[in-house]
């Protein structure tokens, strides 16, 4: 993953009315919206014959490349964008690139497995840089539209997912845990459900009438997908995101948000029982695992053993790590079946070492400062980006949300928006 979009200053931006008609902007919005449903279809249709389409998230990477190309067509200049980054952000980006190149090409035991994932990380970085640059200039007037596109994309994904599940319902040979519909395990359904619920309900605070009702429906659909996943982690992250929205809102709007969240849950919880093709799905699985009296190993689904072995591997190569794509073959506690340690910090330290992870932290330093400022004067677009980011990062502490390409794309989109200046209603300018 890369956070080149996490720059902590932006150039002034004024756009003309004609800018809204530019086809590259419309194409970029459509690409963000269509990435997830196309990923679902691609995974379902090609998993047996071309599993790399799912494993390397080819439709998502292609969507990011398409947005980069559309930004270039609309005037994106990478050298100029790099020059606008704060010195610390540029230094962090340079250090990160050097560290991941050394980890993946010189140190990784299986460089063939590392190379595609390293290239994906670089694409994430370029996507973030291009989106940040354009949201601070030519596309500044449509910042919130990218969040709406991400929200619509997750909803379209949910529709495609549901249709495919309905088509496979009577198929005894279908893998109901490793579903392959834009996800490699049903638990990952929360990667789509949490940002959908977070963005929809956060934006509902600035909506009225039909818009607020539609946002509540989107929130219900997002919570429905999250509950269907059977993931305790994802549901807790979604609820945490709602708590963050409430904290960021003026006091007078919190009651309305509470009503919409409760209404969304009131629909999502009973509706989740309409789609339970396997015992690993749904609310009963969440409750049974959450109330389990088993030991900590079973309660955490084996994560404690994975974390201990991952930490031991980090200590063996602390500076530059082991490279990307090495985890499955090297960490025996994963039994050769998982690709990440289910903890983002351990993931970064394992694959990039202290050097790469420290450089990433340096890139994110300005973002942290911006989030503190926005907490005092955030617009609804900034709130929506902040809470979607909160939900996905919370999942990443116990899952692989920052390993898989789609949630990383949403995280980078949120970071790009959060680093492009002041909230809506203020003149866009350089961040202080």
């Amino acid at each position: 993953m890369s956070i080149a979009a996490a720059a902590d200053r932006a150039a002034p931006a004024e756009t003309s009315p004609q800018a809204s008609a530019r086809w590259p902007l419309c194409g970029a919005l459509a690409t963000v919206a269509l990435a997830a449903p196309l990923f679902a279809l691609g995974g379902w249709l090609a998993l047996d014959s071309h599993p790399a389409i799912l494993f390397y998230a080819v439709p998502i990477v292609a969507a990011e490349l398409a947005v980069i190309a559309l930004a270039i067509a609309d005037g994106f200049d990478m050298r100029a964008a790099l020059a606008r980054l704060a010195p610390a952000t540029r230094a962090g980006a340079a250090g990160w690139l050097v560290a991941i190149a050394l980890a993946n090409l010189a140190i990784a035991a299986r460089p063939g497995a590392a190379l595609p994932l390293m290239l994906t990380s670089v694409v994430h970085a370029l996507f973030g840089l291009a989106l940040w640059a354009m949201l601070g200039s030519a596309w500044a007037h449509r910042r919130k539209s990218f969040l709406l596109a991400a929200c619509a994309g997750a909803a379209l994904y949910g529709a495609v997912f549901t249709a495919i599940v309905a088509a496979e319902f009577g198929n005894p040979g279908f893998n109901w845990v490793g579903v392959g519909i834009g996800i490699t395990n049903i638990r990952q359904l929360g990667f789509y459900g949490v940002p959908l619920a977070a963005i929809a309900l956060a934006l509902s605070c600035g909506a009225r009438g039909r818009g607020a009702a539609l946002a509540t429906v989107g929130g219900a659909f997002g919570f429905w997908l999250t509950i269907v996943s059977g993931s305790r982690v994802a549901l807790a992250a979604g609820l945490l995101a709602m708590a963050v929205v409430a904290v960021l809102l003026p006091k007078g709007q919190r009651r309305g948000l509470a009503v919409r969240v409760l209404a969304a849950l009131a629909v999502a919880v009973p509706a989740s029982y309409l789609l339970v093709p396997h015992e690993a799905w749904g609310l009963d699985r969440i409750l049974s695992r959450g109330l389990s009296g088993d030991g900590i190993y079973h309660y955490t689904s084996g994560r404690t053993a994975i974390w201990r072995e991952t930490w031991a591997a980090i200590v063996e190569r602390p500076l530059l790590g082991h490279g990307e794509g090495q985890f499955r073959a090297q960490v025996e506690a994963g039994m050769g079946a998982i690709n990440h340690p289910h903890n983002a910090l351990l993931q970064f330290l394992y694959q990039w070492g202290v050097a790469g992870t420290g450089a990433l932290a340096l890139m994110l330093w300005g973002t942290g400062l911006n989030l503190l400022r926005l907490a005092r004067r955030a617009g609804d677009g900034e709130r929506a980006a902040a809470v979607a980011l909160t939900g996905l990062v919370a999942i990443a502490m116990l899952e692989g949300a920052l390993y898989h390409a789609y949630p990383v794309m949403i995280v980078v989109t949120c970071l790009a928006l959060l680093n492009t200046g002041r909230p809506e209603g203020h003149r866009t300018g350089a961040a202080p």
Side-chain angles (χ1 to χ4, degrees):
M1 168 188 168
S2 166
I3 314 293
D8 41 22
R9 65 184 183 186
E14 295 292 338
T15 56
S16 65
Q18 290 79 11
S20 61
R22 287 178 177 168
W23 68 267
L25 169 61
C26 297
L29 290 168
T31 299
V32 171
L34 293 175
L38 290 177
F39 190 25
L41 286 171
W44 179 55
L45 295 173
L47 183 60
D48 292 336
S49 55
H50 298 88
I53 290 178
L54 181 65
F55 183 80
Y56 292 114
V58 173
I60 303 301
V61 178
E64 291 185 328
L65 288 170
V67 172
I68 295 167
L70 288 163
I72 291 172
D74 209 16
F76 168 59
D77 183 337
M78 185 170 68
R79 289 181 297 178
L82 288 171
R84 285 169 48 200
L85 295 176
T89 305
R90 285 201 303 271
W96 177 80
L97 285 170
V98 171
I100 70 166
L102 289 173
N104 288 301
L105 302 179
I107 293 175
R110 299 163 60 236
L115 184 59
L117 295 174
M118 184 186 75
L119 292 177
T120 298
S121 295
V122 173
V123 170
H124 289 322
L126 293 175
F127 168 72
L129 181 64
L131 192 57
W132 169 76
M134 300 307 290
L135 289 177
S137 56
W139 298 349
H141 61 301
R142 298 298 297 274
R143 291 178 186 175
K144 197 188 301 183
S145 296
F146 278 89
L147 287 177
L148 291 171
C151 192
L156 288 171
Y157 168 88
V160 171
F161 174 87
T162 305
I164 293 173
V165 168
E168 295 284 2
F169 213 83
N171 179 6
F174 191 72
N175 186 344
W176 292 108
V177 176
V179 186
I181 309 174
I183 50 178
T184 57
N185 187 291
I186 186 59
R187 298 298 163 262
Q188 297 164 10
L189 194 58
F191 296 171
Y192 301 86
V194 168
L196 172 55
I199 294 171
L201 288 168
L203 290 178
S204 75
C205 300
R208 295 289 184 273
R210 188 175 300 175
L214 183 61
T216 305
V217 171
F221 195 21
F223 274 123
W224 181 80
L225 290 172
T226 304
I227 295 169
V228 165
S229 76
S231 171
R232 298 164 288 169
V233 174
L235 181 57
L239 296 174
L240 173 63
M242 295 301 98
V244 171
V245 178
V247 169
L248 294 177
L249 277 176
K251 289 184 179 179
Q253 297 185 32
R254 291 174 184 171
R255 180 177 297 180
L257 172 68
V259 169
R260 288 187 290 274
V261 170
L262 290 174
L265 289 170
V267 172
V269 170
S272 67
Y273 285 97
L274 299 175
L275 190 69
V276 188
H278 188 276
E279 62 182 7
W281 293 43
L283 185 62
D284 287 347
R285 196 270 176 188
I286 292 174
L287 295 176
S288 65
R289 296 296 293 155
L291 301 175
S292 172
D294 296 336
I296 190 65
Y297 175 86
H298 293 286
Y299 186 77
T300 63
S301 301
R303 284 173 173 80
T304 51
I306 295 169
W307 292 339
R308 283 195 296 269
E309 191 171 334
T310 302
W311 180 252
I314 291 168
V315 172
E316 288 176 6
R317 289 185 175 174
L319 182 60
L320 291 170
H322 296 264
E324 297 175 69
Q326 312 301 302
F327 191 88
R328 179 189 288 263
Q330 292 182 353
V331 178
E332 294 180 1
M335 297 176 289
I338 62 174
N339 299 303
H340 51 80
H342 291 72
N343 178 281
L345 180 58
L346 291 178
Q347 172 193 324
F348 298 151
L349 288 169
Y350 175 85
Q351 64 191 25
W352 299 329
V354 173
T357 305
L360 180 65
L362 185 59
M363 281 193 282
L364 286 171
W365 178 255
T367 298
L369 295 178
N370 278 348
L371 287 174
L372 290 175
R373 299 186 193 104
L374 286 170
R376 296 190 294 271
R377 52 184 177 82
D380 54 352
E382 281 73 22
R383 279 194 295 266
V387 297
L389 182 64
T390 297
L392 287 171
V393 170
I395 294 175
M397 294 301 101
L398 292 162
E399 248 295 351
L402 298 186
Y403 174 88
H404 293 270
Y406 179 74
V408 171
M409 185 180 82
I410 300 304
V411 164
V412 171
T413 299
C414 293
L415 287 169
L417 189 146
L418 288 167
N419 282 282
T420 50
R422 296 184 178 183
E424 289 91 343
H426 295 266
R427 178 182 173 85
T428 303

